[in-house]
Amino acid sequence: MSDLETFRAETRAWLEAHCPESQRQPILKREQIWGGRNRVFPSADAQAWFEAMADRGWTAPSWPKEYGGGGLSIEEAKVLQQEMARLKCRPPLYEIGIWMFGPALLAYGNEAQKQEHIPKIVKGEIRWAQGYSEPGAGSDLASLKTKAEDMGDHFLVNGTKIWTTNAHKADWIFCLVRTDPSAPKQQGISFLLIDMASEGVSVSPIELISGESEFCQTFFDNVKVPKENLVGELNKGWDVAKELLKHERTLMSSMESMSEKEDFSLLELAQQYLSLNSEGTIEDGEIRSRIAQLLMEMEAFEQLNERMFYQYKAKQVDQRLGMLLKHIGTKQLQRKDELILEVLGNKALSWTAPTANQQEHIVTRNWAFNKSHTIAGGTSEIQLNIIAKRALGMAS
Ligand SMILES: Cc1cc2nc3c(=O)[nH]c(=O)nc-3n(C[C@H](O)[C@H](O)[C@H](O)COP(=O)(O)OP(=O)(O)OC[C@H]3O[C@@H](n4cnc5c(N)ncnc54)[C@H](O)[C@@H]3O)c2cc1C
């Protein structure tokens, strides 16, 4: 048996022994486990599953062992992912520290910063928020105005961030701040870590049309931030920001993690809600071929991801492919949502009405929520500009 086959057999046995049956069901949003000082577990099983994975470092399987990660090679991490998918294991931890901040800190942080923050992310002890966007700086992020003045032994931060997802629940925030107002836009920006419990930080939730609120505006009013919280070099925060955005965009392209519930099967829903012919296939030829077309495109997208994986493995990454992923993945997800809505017809018109069942409510909410995927992490228009310029070499 090859090493990888041995690893697969051991991983399969370990998952079967440690993942409770209840954690092998599709997960609802309210059952997701997010990190944080005030972390809550929806059940004893969910806590046991989370702790087993975190103790092994498998909440961040490929991060170095010295910082509490799993220390797996990319091939082993992929095997773990496949085995978890085979058993339908729930993701043990939802956390932007895992998805975006951790990888950027591993690339740009100093030793003390990695020792301080990475193990806490792996263990889900600290919840992170992202402080990039401002009321006047979204797509044109480099025009941000929140400033950090050098006061000798600390930075003094003043300004505001907007659309900070879950800032009201976060313990720490990573922020882009202006440290040199006289330098050209991108060159005067630094990357700073701020404890949300610092004096002068306040958060105001923004109410959405759904009545729920994950978005916040975050205010910094004379906040003192220790100098050691600067990541990377002073005025070179844009490099860290770009590294982080790369991970954010890959995440947005590949995961339905922020949806109400993951992995609805288009085909299964179609078979459940549409009339079938005597052979058990969907009777309506038009919708059948549109479903087939989308499923083929989704398969092609999977293959594109697979190609990226082998490029990473061979350390020969074609950056142009990465630029395409977010745009294609998010659009595809939205097309799937639209088609699911068509399949369900007027059953998908309800948000909470008792005439519809829970699956039908979730389908409708996913459709509405997933619209945000082509905005978050950089809008599709901006992604298309990047693809045109950097991947296709078209003049602006
Ligand atoms: C679900 C979600 C979660 C988010 N979470 C966070 C978070 O945690 N932290 C954070 O900092 N931010 C967060 N954001 C904010 C997000 O990064 C911004 O919404 C995004 O960058 C767009 O900025 P904007 O909203 O200011 O839109 P704008 O930049 O004002 O854009 C408005 C419209 O104009 C278009 N446009 C702008 N410039 C160009 C151009 N040059 N060419 C063509 N079209 C253009 C855009 O594509 C868009 O359609 C989140 C957003 C969403 C939807």
Side-chain angles (χ1 to χ4, degrees):
M1 228 199 282
S2 74
D3 287 352
L4 209 54
E5 283 164 8
T6 308
F7 176 76
R8 185 183 292 281
E10 287 169 1
T11 300
R12 186 173 292 185
W14 187 88
L15 289 173
E16 273 165 6
H18 290 87
C19 185
E21 267 314 312
S22 65
Q23 302 305 297
R24 302 183 194 185
Q25 319 290 330
I27 192 164
L28 291 174
K29 199 165 185 175
R30 63 172 181 272
E31 296 167 326
Q32 294 173 353
I33 296 166
W34 288 79
R37 290 179 184 134
N38 304 317
R39 195 177 51 191
V40 279
F41 294 101
S43 66
D45 274 2
Q47 181 167 1
W49 168 232
F50 163 79
E51 284 171 357
M53 288 293 274
D55 286 348
R56 229 175 150 84
W58 281 4
T59 45
S62 54
W63 291 8
K65 260 194 177 331
E66 57 192 298
Y67 305 118
L72 302 186
S73 65
I74 53 170
E75 293 92 338
E76 289 169 336
K78 187 163 188 198
V79 166
L80 171 61
Q81 196 186 24
Q82 288 166 344
E83 291 303 316
M84 284 178 66
R86 196 183 67 85
L87 277 184
K88 298 194 166 59
C89 303
R90 292 177 167 181
L93 178 62
Y94 289 74
E95 172 52 43
I96 70 172
I98 297 269
W99 299 325
M100 310 177 211
F101 172 60
L105 194 69
L106 284 168
Y108 281 91
N110 60 34
E111 192 51 33
Q113 290 167 338
K114 290 187 218 175
Q115 294 286 358
E116 170 63 23
H117 297 293
I118 299 287
K120 291 180 184 164
I121 296 174
V122 175
K123 295 271 187 199
E125 290 169 0
I126 293 293
R127 184 163 181 165
W128 284 87
Q130 179 184 31
Y132 274 24
S133 310
E134 295 184 5
S139 300
D140 185 14
L141 186 59
S143 63
L144 61 93
K145 291 197 169 57
T146 296
K147 63 176 178 181
E149 291 168 272
D150 189 339
M151 307 303 279
D153 63 339
H154 65 271
F155 290 107
L156 193 66
V157 178
N158 278 288
T160 182
K161 296 288 174 182
I162 200 161
W163 312 128
T164 350
T165 308
N166 288 319
H168 56 320
K169 295 180 182 164
D171 306 301
W172 279 72
I173 184 166
F174 51 87
C175 279
L176 291 177
V177 290
R178 189 155 297 287
T179 35
D180 183 356
S182 63
K185 269 172 109 178
Q186 295 174 0
Q187 289 162 34
I189 292 173
S190 299
F191 194 100
L192 211 53
L193 311 181
I194 304 178
D195 188 334
M196 294 292 281
S198 313
E199 203 180 327
V201 179
S202 59
V203 171
S204 168
I206 301 169
E207 197 174 328
L208 303 180
I209 194 170
S210 63
E212 294 164 6
S213 182
E214 290 184 345
F215 282 135
C216 299
Q217 183 159 5
T218 309
F219 300 90
F220 302 93
D221 186 12
N222 286 325
V223 179
K224 285 184 179 174
V225 180
K227 281 282 182 67
E228 65 257 29
N229 291 9
L230 174 73
V231 177
E233 289 178 45
L234 187 71
N235 298 326
K236 296 264 175 65
W238 196 247
D239 294 338
V240 191
K242 281 191 298 184
E243 173 70 20
L244 192 137
L245 275 176
K246 213 168 66 189
H247 295 283
E248 182 173 7
R249 288 172 181 164
T250 308
L251 167 82
M252 300 302 302
S253 73
S254 62
M255 286 181 65
E256 299 175 26
S257 65
M258 289 159 90
S259 310
E260 182 76 17
K261 181 183 173 199
E262 295 166 46
D263 74 7
F264 271 126
S265 158
L266 173 57
L267 199 54
E268 280 172 21
L269 285 174
Q271 284 164 341
Q272 187 184 340
Y273 284 87
L274 299 176
S275 325
L276 306 180
N277 61 25
S278 55
E279 288 159 12
T281 50
I282 298 157
E283 203 160 40
D284 182 333
E286 203 264 339
I287 198 137
R288 192 173 63 227
S289 67
R290 283 171 55 209
I291 290 171
Q293 176 72 32
L294 184 61
L295 291 178
M296 281 190 288
E297 288 177 30
M298 286 164 68
E299 179 59 33
F301 183 65
E302 279 296 307
Q303 297 297 326
L304 187 65
N305 272 305
E306 194 77 350
R307 191 165 155 198
M308 281 285 283
F309 169 78
Y310 285 105
Q311 287 187 354
Y312 269 115
K313 198 175 143 196
K315 297 192 170 43
Q316 291 178 354
V317 180
D318 180 348
Q319 299 292 349
R320 293 172 307 172
L321 283 188
M323 293 174 196
L324 298 175
L325 288 182
K326 187 197 180 222
H327 179 63
I328 300 176
T330 51
K331 281 279 175 206
Q332 210 167 65
L333 177 60
Q334 290 176 352
R335 283 178 53 216
K336 179 180 160 193
D337 290 332
E338 293 284 345
L339 208 42
I340 288 179
L341 237 61
E342 270 190 68
V343 164
L344 265 67
N346 59 12
K347 297 262 183 209
L349 284 176
S350 157
W351 201 257
T352 50
T355 44
N357 63 36
Q358 193 186 43
Q359 171 171 276
E360 291 156 359
H361 293 152
I362 293 173
V363 158
T364 316
R365 289 182 205 177
N366 277 358
W367 166 79
F369 182 77
N370 291 344
K371 299 274 179 211
S372 70
H373 285 27
T374 42
I375 302 172
T379 67
S380 283
E381 290 78 12
I382 296 299
Q383 278 307 109
L384 287 170
N385 281 348
I386 293 173
I387 293 166
K389 240 190 263 176
R390 298 200 212 133
L392 303 176
M394 293 162 76
S396 54

